[in-house]
Amino acid sequence: MPDPADKDDPAVTTPPVIHTRAYQQELLEDSLRRNLIIALDTGSGKTHISVLRMKHEAEHGSKKVSWFIAPTVALVEQQFDVIKTAIPVSVGLVSGASEPNQWKDASLWRRILASHRIMVTTPQVLLDALHHGYIDLGRDVGLLVFDEAHHATGKHPYNMIMKNFYFGLPPRTSLTSAEDRCRPVILGLTASPIYGGNVDEAFRDLEKNLDSTIRSSRRNRDELAQHVYRPEFKHVLYASPIQLWDGPRSVNCRALQAVVDTLDIEKDPSVISLRSRLAKVRPGEDRRRLDQRLSKAIDREDTFTHKGLRDFARTAVDICEELGPWAADWYVAKVIERAKLAANPYNNIMSAWQEKEKRYLLSILSRVQITEPSSDPDKIVNAITPKVRALVDTLIVEEGLFRSMDEDYSGLVFVTRRDTVLALAELLARIPETAQLFRLGCLLGSSSSFKRHSFLDITRSMLEDSQADTLRDFKIGEKNLIVSTSVAEEGIDIQACGCVIRFDAPPNVVAWAQSRGRARKRRSTFIIMFEETGPQKVKEWEQTEQRMMAAYNDSRRDAIATVEDDDFGNMDGYVEYEVASTGALLTIHSAIPHLNHFCAVIPSGGHESHVPIYQLDPPEYAEGWHSLHDRSQAPYQGPWGACVTLPRALPKHLRKFTTPRIHSTKRKAQQHVAYEAYLQLYYAGLLDNHLLPLSTAIEPDKKDEVEAMLAEVAKRASTASVSIQIDPWAVSEDTSRWFAHELIVQGHPPLRMLTRRPLPNFHQDDVPRLYIPKLGEATLSLAPVGSATVSDEEVQRARQFTHRLFFMLYGSRMNRNEMDFAYLFLPAGGWNEEATWEERRKWQEGRHLQGLTAQAEGPFVANAAVFGEQFSYPGDLAMVRGISKYDKPLRLLGWRHNPLSAEEEAKFREEYGMYLDLEVTYPLMLVRSLPKRRNFLIPFALENTDRRQVTPPDDLPFLLHPQYALVELASHDEVQYALILPSILRWLANALTVDALRSNLLTKTSVSAVPLPLLLTAITAPIAQELSHYQRLETLGDTVLKFTSSNQLYAEFPLWHEGYLSRKKDHAVSNSNLAKEAVRKGLYQWIIRDRFVPRKWKPHRASVRGPVEGVLEDGEQVGQAVMKDTHSKTEDKDKGKKNKGEELSTKMLADVVESLIGAAYEHGGFDLAIECAKRFGLGLSWKKLSERMEEMHKVEDLDDLPEQLGLVEQMISYQFQRRTFLVQALTHASYQGDSAVMSLERLEFLGDSALDMIVTDYLYHAPGKNYSPGYMHIKKEAAVNSHILAYACLSTSVVVESVMPTWAPETGLAEVDDSQRVHLWQCLLHSSHRVLEDQNLTFARFQKHGPAIARALECDAIYPWAALTSLQAPKFISDMVESILGAVYVDSRGSLDAVRGVMRSLGLMQIIERVVVDDVDVLHPVSRLAIWAAQQEPQKMVEYKFVKEKGQVKCTVVMDKEELLSVSASYRSRVSEDEVRFTAAERAIRMLRVIDVDVDDVMPDDEDEEP
């Protein structure tokens, strides 16, 4: 349903100033004191009173809404416009035309009630919402306004709202507060509060039903009379039609009737189809139902075509008698013309007509000898009836009167029959006298239903203008005469017109008053046409109206009639059931639509939709009545019982219900059995407490909730000035204690590492290798050093060493005076050259203290010229740099003592051009840039990919002048550690993040034992650009989660059909649900999403963190993180810079949950994956698969097993231990046998997940492939798509060997081979002729295309998508394969190896293996073409255009608005469109020579949502 708020914006319009009249104020004040039905004439402003009453309600503080209901969509839309313009509050509109989701969305109704003060709806919308408990009339509604209140009788929704939901509420009293749960105030509006002729009885019933008093103005009648313009009443007499014994005078009527008289019901397509189906159906319930349908169709001759043609002929005769032969001739010719157009097989004007019916209609209509009606005006005028003549004369006179008063004429002509409206309008447009005066329009009402009603519904398509257009044109004067059915009688806002003519006399006083009310101009006329017998009825109606007005002006009637308990007791057999928790109500009248809806939402597998099947008890006709020669035996007349059969997707005890033969009508019997069935479905837990199917209310969408939670997390993070991602180095309390570890990098001296908390004991397999230039691959080890306390003196030395170590490379991003690092380092043991470099540093420190240092020198940085002169130009310098602070670190290759050549010196001086007095002294320094590699965790092979083997210019040696260069006083080992430690610390930070995850979220679970590399991969986001990230594990985990959740649901809910299971699973595994649970558990803290950028790295400072947030059990709320940071003001500069790597999303959170499940599966199989999923809950009850298998096996074995089970076992090479599962796997929903098993959909649900699991696991572990998620997806589709599964089913068979004795004169008696091949698809258990027809047609296509598909699958380098689609196999064939796989899985107690074996027998494993081993190109042709087009410069636009004509469907590939090629094929179903589209895409690919496209470059990264 569209949000009603979209329809209402009070700011858009300014409420007009409307002055309230005295009588309106009188009735408004009365409505504030009691429930009231306001009875005022049309045009007197009843709606304005209701607007004032709703405005009063909105202004007086109540949170309850005012609810305005009107009986038709048109009235609802009209009154909505009036109300929203007049009252500056939010007004909502819901009607049947807007297809409201009142069936299924409680939260939507709550949002509507919270955001709107007034609702305007049709009564059925409100009644449905009340039935389902979405709206509580006493709690939510303060004022209930009934427009056209006289409808509140019988079983009208108005009356049902009052009976079922109003009278059970506590009455309002003087002590009732505005928010108490009580009866809403009632305000009714009507111009004619009466039905029938008994005023007292009508008033009593209406006042009782609406708990109100009928009133009109008493004190201000004179003013009321001034604003109500009663038209001048006139009547016109016309001669009675002459009855002709020889039939109608219309030649076309006679021609039509002649053909209709020859109709034979036995030739009707519907009867022929029923007989054909009856001949094929085995004895049983399905046959009995068909037998009854056939007998009923023959007895009543009420098939769609026969009844429609008879109605057509009868209507034509009526038009002939009422309007004349020309009108009838025109009508017959026009309808046949439209029918031939509609019945054309290639036309969809009337899509409800079936193809056989279309052909049958064409054959009949083509036999009608049509005479084209004359267009000669004289002949037309001579062929009209006295009644039309009288109408024409009246119209001419009235138009002349208006013209004489200098007024524009505007008139309405009311006609009873819809088709008469069309013919009469055509006549008036053809008769010269009226054609010159009137601009005609027609109103027929509208029907939004798509159901089959009648053949004559085709006449609706004969109107050229819509109802809205006609009313608009009438309002603005472009039309001045409308011929209308009763649609214009009641409420529709037709511009006040001056003349209303009833072409047919009104049937009752209500119609008389309503149609008279359309004449609302100050000078207007109301004319009724009567036969010559006279207008006796008018006096009766006028007397009734006078009694009515006297009654509602009688003050003695002010007391409301008391509603007795038995006032509604005359509703024979009425029963109801209320759900106490919600107030949802099931009644005998709502049961049938409820049950229809329940069955309709059960998945149908792409075949016939599910419906409840009713059978009368006893049958109305004797069995075989349709074939009897003597059909004089009358049908059974009652009392009636009934039986309803629900789809086989339900268990046996919920499939059939009966009611005894005690009901007076067939309808009541069906209502009672539907009521019982629906009640039992509720008791069985298949309906929610709103009495709705669970599939529509299992779980609401959590996307908005998750986004709000993420926003709150981000808000907390920004408030606390910390990263959402946990700081792995932070300690839980401020402590001075340090812990020592020894860090050794292969080929380097050991390093002592101090941390504020002990590091985990890393297994050597957990520790990465380092890839160091020149040294190659190096191992890394990290181990604790005893338990000795680290002294303060050692800590101080370590601070200084760490500061000096990192400052030489990262000093530009460090504070020179801060040393509060999260980790500290010291050389362990004696390092080579340590004494030498210590001496040099002391020398420099002395210079620094004495103030002898020059530009850019420091305690540990010396001028190269001074240093070289002091220490004889040593060659062991590890790092030098230019004098500028922006100069890069360099390594010394050596000192150059020999002079430069002239060319070299010129170039050298150019480099030092800023020093004009440069003196070239020797030696010079020969240097080269340090290696570019800074991330030593990346293997060489990955770094060198696609790199040209050419030395970059900045890697070439060059010269430095010592006077303008600096020497870092650090050894080679120190510089090397300064380079590689950031990489080690990055890995260690990530490892500590995993450790924090283990000790918090995964504590006390076996998942914490998953190896560190796997967990690290699982929590690393791609945006971090680490060597490995979660995407592949997420793909695996997604499949594992769907597989395990399918197992949990299948076992836990044995009564649920596949629709419920899929809905619940889809919600559980949806990104929004996964993300919600991830936020609740605080998982975002451990997701590594910050990038390691070595060139921007700086050492981490120490910090203290509070408790980890968000690791909650069910029912708890996400807590506030208590974190404090000890960072200095220096880093506050970066506070406002948002690191894009930290951006969280619903998808990222969901992906990490799935990747953790994938990691758990990789380490410990399904049980560990289930334990991981259980940590997040996800709204499911988690058990080990072995326990679930025991639950799945709690089914009763069947005694009577079908014969073909053994053949199926041979075909799939699997012997079932319990064949009951195989029977269910082979049972189609249409099967009418006595088997107790449910249909195959539940097992298909389980088999689908097992198939996905096996294929995804194979692709994930494919040797040497390491497929990306994108490639895993497209390759998986090659093995699990419905086309390949159908192909596997069609190609699987077994030969049944047998011999047949035969006799020949030459050889005598002999045995010959009579072996037969039985196919898997033939073993499906069904009772549907459509299924059988689809099977045979599909197998015929398989016989034609199967060999080519087999060759392509075995040999071709490209997957045969188009060829597979050409099979056009219905879904139930592929479902059959998945259900068999599900049956094998359950029967083998969860053995995927057994399922793999069956897949190999079906050829599916061989297909996916070849796809992987031979690297078959499986990208879908449509996807390939789209990807290729998107990668072009500029991008190209690809479109597929379809044309259906003459039984063919053509697909044209259009690229950049130019046609590329076309492909045609016979049109059989929607699948035919897929076939030509795939084929066209393949041909376009060959034409454009599209070869390689990169899937990962363009595959979308879905943000969510529900699968």
Side-chain angles (χ1 to χ4, degrees), residues 308 352 529 588 781 988:
M529 300 183 67
I588 196 70
S781 65
L988 194 51

Side-chain angles (χ1 to χ4, degrees), residues 1056-1089:
W1056 281 16
H1057 57 71
E1058 184 262 341
Y1060 281 7
L1061 296 174
S1062 293
R1063 173 71 177 178
K1064 181 70 172 177
K1065 182 206 70 175
D1066 289 347
H1067 168 76
V1069 306
S1070 68
N1071 282 0
S1072 56
N1073 190 48
L1074 294 173
K1076 175 178 176 290
E1077 296 304 325
V1079 174
R1080 289 186 68 251
K1081 300 297 184 183
L1083 178 62
Y1084 52 84
Q1085 300 166 93
W1086 299 289
I1087 301 176
I1088 298 168
R1089 50 199 179 274

Side-chain angles (χ1 to χ4, degrees), residues 741-744 749-753 826-831 834:
H741 310 80
E742 185 175 67
L743 186 153
I744 302 176
L751 198 63
R752 188 172 175 84
M753 181 178 183
L826 270 177
W831 280 21
E834 184 176 1

